[in-house]
Amino acid sequence: MNLFWHRRDLRLRDNRGLALAASDDDVLPVFVLDDGLLRQVGERQRAFLFAGLDSLREAYRERGGDLLIQRGKPARALAAVREAVDGDTVYYNRHYQPARHNRERRVDRRFPTVATTDCVLVDPDDLDSSYPSHSQFYDDWTARPKPDPVAAPDAARLVDPGAHGVESGAEIPAVESDIDLPAAGYEAARRRYDQFLDDGIESYADTRDDLSAAVARPVGAVSRLSPYLATGMIGIRDVWGDATDRYEAATAGENEAGVGDGDIARNVEKYRYELSWREANYHLLANDPGLLSKNHKEFPSPIAWRDDEDDFTAWQRGETGYPLVDAGMCQLEQEGYVHNRPRQVVASFLTKHLLLDWRKGAQHFERKLVDYDPAANYGNWQWVASTGTDTVDVRIFDPVAQMAKYDPDADYVCEYVPELRDVPAEKAIEWPTLDPSERRRLAPDYSAPIVDRDDAYERAQRVFETALGKR
């Protein structure tokens, strides 16, 4: 009998490690509640994870098996289970977060194991250790074959631990969330993706940055799959495979939709391209374990970060006086999610306009996001902060210009910043540059800008160019 060690792979279908464990023997699935790791997960995502874990256990029970829940250090807990059932090899899916990788090594030293690449399409070891730009990563990554999804294991292979005299040593904890969470589990993830495939993927390139569309069609303008991918409630090969089927149908002229097949192919290909950024961040973390705590890019001189708790608190609360920034932060607080465009804008505002260390923002997101993923969170924060892989030395998102371009009717801003709902859209866009008396007249309860737009921009340029040795 093999053991399969579940972690952030809370599904039966398209689970490569589980499929391999069940390929030549019966398999007993085990999940270990590791308090050391769980403390690193925000309460919102922890509640979502546990709901997904409950859904996974039910899926096993429906097939005549069960999920064994243990608590403690994984190596010790798995050793006890393996001894109790006279088990053989322990299978697991490889992860790249340093804390998880350390636990893998301890398990590897204890007994026979087989580790599988599962959370990415291409094993980072199959690529170069670093790339100077995303385009070069993308070219190399695109050339590598992408495996097909694997089926759920045959129910006859799934072991009921109770039949072997082994009972769970812990219950799935009940964790309250301060927000409404998405439905958890593979079936919920599949429903959401099917909705996007039906209603959104063929217009994705045209709507992904349209913040009015994001308000009108939260699932459609974008997929909103990130919570499920981050927790492994749906497999990346399932997602890639279905998107690829749509792309190949469009390029073959087989789609019967009311727009040109070339237009469909362009939109679907954009979605597939965005998945490559997720892969790039995992590749980055696999090759740079310090990504979560240190600048990925080396600077000749230290960056002169400011230390201003009042500014940081205003940013957290969505009270900066920059409407698109505040709307993004209010969405984070209310939903545990931020649309990608404002996600970039709020990160840039913190690290450039306020000159506060990217680590403070990344850690706040870690606590608040339901879709928190270490590779994506820290890789993207470093990219926006100009300490990561961006080929532009100092990239600064102007929050005024970004709102004018992506939320010109202020639909997104007014959804999350109610104080501005009676303010004309053009005035909301220009809010940080309006005369103070006009701001008081238009929306007396909304914040004044905490930093001057032009002064902050020039200060960020100066500080980063100094750190880069250009001044």
Side-chain angles (χ1 to χ4, degrees):
M1 180 195 308
N2 295 322
L3 272 62
F4 179 71
W5 176 24
H6 271 286
R7 298 189 291 162
R8 283 195 174 226
D9 46 22
L10 306 183
R11 63 188 187 278
L12 276 66
R13 176 178 162 78
D14 194 24
N15 188 321
R16 298 186 80 203
L18 177 61
L20 190 60
S23 64
D24 64 353
D25 204 346
D26 292 344
V27 59
L28 172 61
V30 184
F31 186 92
V32 181
L33 294 167
D34 182 343
D35 292 331
L37 280 178
L38 290 172
R39 280 194 293 269
Q40 299 176 21
V41 178
E43 285 190 3
R44 294 168 169 186
Q45 192 180 66
R46 203 180 315 156
F48 185 61
L49 276 166
F50 290 154
L53 191 59
D54 190 63
S55 176
L56 176 66
R57 181 174 61 182
E58 187 58 32
Y60 275 115
R61 289 175 174 175
E62 288 172 357
R63 291 162 174 80
D66 205 349
L67 177 64
L68 192 66
I69 309 291
Q70 300 293 90
R71 183 182 291 277
K73 299 296 183 183
R76 190 177 304 165
L78 290 167
V81 173
R82 183 171 175 269
E83 181 178 356
V85 299
D86 194 23
D88 189 9
T89 304
V90 175
Y91 289 75
Y92 65 84
N93 291 318
R94 190 177 292 112
H95 283 265
Y96 304 100
Q97 184 181 1
R100 291 185 178 275
H101 191 46
N102 290 339
R103 284 159 172 78
E104 292 172 4
R105 286 198 291 263
R106 294 188 189 106
V107 169
D108 290 343
R109 289 196 294 264
R110 195 95 180 223
F111 28 71
T113 61
V114 174
T116 310
T117 299
D118 176 79
C119 69
V120 289
L121 291 162
V122 177
D123 189 335
D125 289 343
D126 292 343
L127 299 167
D128 290 344
S129 60
S130 64
Y131 292 91
S133 68
H134 182 75
S135 62
Q136 288 170 287
F137 168 84
Y138 181 73
D139 290 344
D140 202 359
W141 176 83
T142 300
R144 304 299 170 123
K146 314 296 188 296
D148 293 329
V150 294
D154 190 318
R157 290 287 198 191
L158 303 177
V159 171
D160 180 354
H164 293 264
V166 180
E167 303 292 337
S168 287
E171 288 297 318
I172 299 172
V175 177
E176 295 293 327
S177 174
D178 63 338
I179 61 171
D180 291 334
L181 296 171
Y186 172 77
E187 296 298 332
R190 189 67 245 185
R191 286 193 299 271
R192 178 164 290 190
Y193 191 38
D194 286 342
Q195 181 183 346
F196 176 67
L197 290 170
D198 290 342
D199 301 334
I201 197 169
E202 293 181 355
S203 59
Y204 175 77
D206 298 330
T207 61
R208 64 181 297 270
D209 281 325
D210 183 340
L211 293 177
S212 294
V215 172
R217 294 190 303 135
V219 179
V222 294
S223 71
R224 295 289 289 260
L225 268 187
S226 54
Y228 301 100
L229 284 169
T231 52
M233 294 181 198
I234 192 169
I236 187 61
R237 286 153 303 280
D238 256 344
V239 176
W240 177 263
D242 286 345
T244 298
D245 288 346
R246 294 297 182 100
Y247 177 73
E248 290 177 349
T251 55
E254 296 171 1
N255 197 294
E256 298 178 359
V259 294
D261 290 344
D263 217 23
I264 292 172
R266 174 182 60 84
N267 277 278
V268 176
E269 178 60 4
K270 181 62 174 176
Y271 184 71
R272 296 203 316 158
Y273 175 76
E274 290 304 312
L275 292 176
S276 76
W277 283 92
R278 177 183 182 274
E279 296 271 314
N281 282 324
Y282 270 99
H283 177 272
L284 196 62
L285 180 58
N287 288 284
D288 180 12
L291 185 72
L292 280 58
S293 58
K294 300 184 297 185
N295 293 340
H296 177 70
K297 183 166 70 178
E298 293 185 3
F299 288 79
S301 301
I303 301 170
W305 300 116
R306 297 171 62 243
D307 184 13
D308 191 316
E309 284 303 313
D310 289 340
D311 280 359
F312 183 61
T313 299
W315 176 82
Q316 288 178 301
R317 292 178 175 174
E319 297 174 354
T320 68
Y322 283 77
L324 186 55
V325 174
D326 293 342
M329 296 306 294
C330 288
Q331 184 182 26
L332 172 64
E333 184 60 31
Q334 294 170 28
E335 300 176 11
Y337 171 86
V338 191
H339 185 284
N340 181 66
R341 177 56 54 175
R343 197 177 294 213
Q344 292 176 312
V345 172
V346 302
S348 176
F349 188 83
L350 182 78
T351 57
K352 304 296 172 50
H353 284 72
L354 298 184
L355 263 180
L356 298 178
D357 196 322
W358 61 267
R359 283 160 279 234
K360 292 173 68 71
Q363 289 161 9
H364 181 69
F365 271 31
E366 183 176 331
R367 291 189 295 271
K368 293 289 185 177
L369 285 171
V370 178
D371 67 3
Y372 168 69
D373 178 302
N377 188 57
Y378 284 88
N380 289 337
W381 265 97
Q382 292 232 44
W383 186 89
V384 173
S386 300
T387 61
T389 57
D390 192 0
T391 54
V392 176
D393 280 344
V394 189
R395 186 185 299 272
I396 304 176
F397 289 76
D398 177 5
V400 175
Q402 290 281 307
M403 183 177 172
K405 183 174 183 179
Y406 298 111
D407 193 27
D409 297 324
D411 291 328
Y412 176 82
V413 161
C414 290
E415 176 73 13
Y416 296 102
V417 185
E419 297 92 335
L420 294 176
R421 287 175 184 167
D422 294 329
V423 176
E426 65 274 13
K427 296 295 185 180
I429 291 169
E430 295 297 332
W431 183 267
T433 60
L434 295 178
D435 184 86
S437 62
E438 187 172 14
R439 288 198 295 264
R440 287 193 295 271
R441 176 179 63 81
L442 289 168
D445 295 330
Y446 180 58
S447 306
I450 62 173
V451 65
D452 181 82
R453 175 193 184 190
D454 294 336
D455 290 348
Y457 186 96
E458 292 167 5
R459 178 178 63 184
Q461 285 278 6
R462 184 172 62 252
V463 165
F464 273 83
E465 287 177 0
T466 299
L468 288 163
K470 294 187 173 183
R471 287 187 180 233

